Amino acid sequence: MHKLKDTAILPITTSAPFWYKRVADATLVISLAILAVWGSRFFAPSLAQSLLLEVPPYSVVLATLGVVASILTHFVQHNWFMKILSALSYLLALATLGIIIFDAGTIQTPYTGLWLIMSLLVGIFGFAGVGFLLLVDTAYAVYLILYLQVNEETLVLFGLLFVLPVVISYLIWRHNSPHEAEREKEQAYSALAKELSQVTNKSEIVINAIGDGVIAVDSKGIIQLANPAALQITGWGKQDALELDYRSVFKLTDKNDKVPDETADPVQTVLRNNTPVKTKDFSLTTNAGKKINLSLLVSPAGQIGTGAIIVFRNISDEVSENTQKAEFISTASHEMRTPVAAIEGYLGLALNPSTATIDDKAKIFLTKAHESAQHLGRLFQDLLDITKAEDGRMTNNPSIIDVVNFSRDITTTFLQTAKTKDVVLIFQPDTNPTSANLTPIYYANVDPDHFREVLSNLIENGIKYTKQGDVVVDVTGDDTHVVVSVKDTGIGIPAEDVSHLFQKFYRVDNSDTREIGGTGLGLYLSRRLVETMAGRIWVESEYGKGSTFFIQLERIAADEALRHMEESAPTPIIAHSNPNNAKP
Ligand code: ADP
């Protein structure tokens, strides 16, 4: 929307009616004064004679009419009537004075002063009024020159008393006359109206050109606008859809094929809370009864109670493509994992001195092959887990775990790996012999497999990205949360990479990491798993100095944990890590 031109905003301080009434007031005073002078011949004839204030009968009639017009100006409401009456009263007063002056045969009468006042007011009627009065003045000047043959002095006086006030009036009122102000106001309004209609047209063009469906509903959910894409997606005609309740046109169902109730309906939620809702959890049943997957964004139209704007897109193709892709990855990973596991197993057997005898050179080659087979196996496992997490097949079987003990068990499984890399792996709660008693018991109700997977990933990364130094696993917390941290003194993460670290396939690409193998899936999967556990994962890192990864889970109070355990198992068992399931 471009800026409105400056002319659209006018400094109109006093309205036109105000000035029309003031003109009427002035002419009323002048007309009454003339009538008073005329009347004075009856009450004080000597005074009237001595002042040479002769008023001809025509003028009396005109002055009376002028009085009536002036008074009427105050009683009409409409601007135009007011303007006409005000101009009429002005003309009548002008005619009254003109006749008197003309009759007097000289411009040197007291009435010339009144004419001068009238001349100063003429600018209020704009250019037309000024032009008219100048014409009258010119005609009178011609009369003075031709018929009365006045001298130059009188002509100069005429110019000063008759013409100059008109010019001054024009200059004074040029910008401020109500006539001018009204004209400018009208211009401004028409410019504004033009501007608005252009803006409306533009918005309409834009809304119609949008490929996504756009439906605007009022606060009661009645459809006020639907663009062609919305009509095409829903299969409704424009005239049929407008003014209908959106639920008749925009038939949503949730993932369980149920019509959402008031609290779950995204449009109702926006109308109620006035905060936008973005979701892909709903399907739409078209007018022809076909079901399509939707990407949906509902935003408030303004203040609460104004309405909502629904923007939606048919993502059925995307969804089926993603499902097919996920199915392919899942099947391929599953199928390939089996032979890779077999290769890994046989290589293990070949490397085991009790099952095979090989020379040193072959041992080096087979060790490398064994490592690669393990890596491949992990990659397939990660891919499988990710497809599960993404298509909603990821199971979540929470049970109560003692986080300190559980983390200790997992850490222990990495001691050997750490040792081969010159890295000291420390489980912080065990560093102080008395701390075992001091560390509180932190219970959490989470899926033990998910937790193991995440912590293993972090410890494995800590060791992998530390050439030499320490990796410290610690468990802290407060009344409501437990935080497990994995701190290393490794290569650290550049600040610009930190925000992307938990994205799929993201790897920091620099000279430090190029040599270190990886898939960029571990942290992404960890984030998905932590989210499944209703927790939080984040990292604090200083490039070149080391990183600390944190997992925050909800802490369960001891009595509640015991109650849970009693409910879920006949013999209370605190889940412990099963080292066989952990990653090497
Ligand atoms: P992968 O390690 O297989 O590449 P991840 O998802 O586990 O994949 O990690 C993603 C990226 O984050 C890694 O490539 C690495 O650049 C960086 N990263 C992860 N953990 C650490 C760490 N402890 N220290 C430094 N960089 C790390």
Side-chain angles (χ1 to χ4, degrees), residues 298-463:
V298 189
S299 314
Q303 297 290 316
I304 197 155
T306 322
I309 310 288
I310 311 166
V311 181
F312 56 100
R313 189 164 9 123
N314 180 356
I315 53 162
S316 301
D317 291 347
E318 246 169 78
V319 169
S320 90
E321 231 170 69
N322 283 347
T323 316
Q324 280 173 11
K325 235 190 270 173
E327 264 169 23
F328 171 75
I329 295 173
S330 165
T331 319
S333 315
H334 192 80
E335 292 304 318
M336 286 193 262
R337 210 168 47 134
T338 321
V340 169
I343 295 169
E344 198 188 323
Y346 284 117
L347 287 172
L349 286 174
L351 284 168
N352 190 341
S354 57
T355 47
T357 318
I358 48 168
D359 64 24
D360 285 350
K361 217 165 195 177
K363 195 176 174 190
I364 295 171
F365 296 146
L366 289 180
T367 309
K368 286 209 183 309
H370 190 224
E371 278 170 10
S372 297
Q374 279 177 333
H375 181 80
L376 206 56
R378 272 203 307 280
L379 176 61
F380 287 141
Q381 187 57 50
D382 281 355
L383 281 173
L384 263 178
D385 290 344
I386 283 170
T387 45
K388 268 191 204 164
E390 285 182 343
D391 65 16
R393 279 185 297 129
M394 174 79 75
T395 52
N396 188 33
N397 300 316
S399 66
I400 301 294
I401 61 167
D402 171 344
V403 180
V404 175
N405 282 335
F406 202 79
S407 305
R408 180 188 293 109
D409 289 350
I410 296 168
T411 310
T412 314
T413 60
F414 286 93
L415 285 173
Q416 190 53 37
T417 325
K419 215 174 182 177
T420 56
K421 264 212 70 185
D422 248 358
V423 171
V424 184
L425 179 59
I426 301 161
F427 188 64
Q428 186 71 25
D430 292 347
T431 47
N432 185 345
T434 55
S435 73
N437 304 329
L438 295 174
T439 311
I441 302 176
Y442 292 106
Y443 290 112
N445 190 22
V446 293
D447 188 316
D449 289 337
H450 292 351
F451 180 70
R452 182 184 307 108
E453 174 94 35
V454 178
L455 187 56
S456 301
N457 261 335
L458 298 187
I459 299 175
E460 199 184 345
N461 277 351
I463 298 169

Side-chain angles (χ1 to χ4, degrees), residues 119 126 155 233 272-273 325 366 382 394 483 533 564 574:
S119 300
L155 276 180
I233 297 171
R272 213 172 32 247
N273 305 336
K325 235 190 270 173
L366 289 180
D382 281 355
M394 174 79 75
V483 178
M533 294 188 284
H564 266 284
I574 296 175

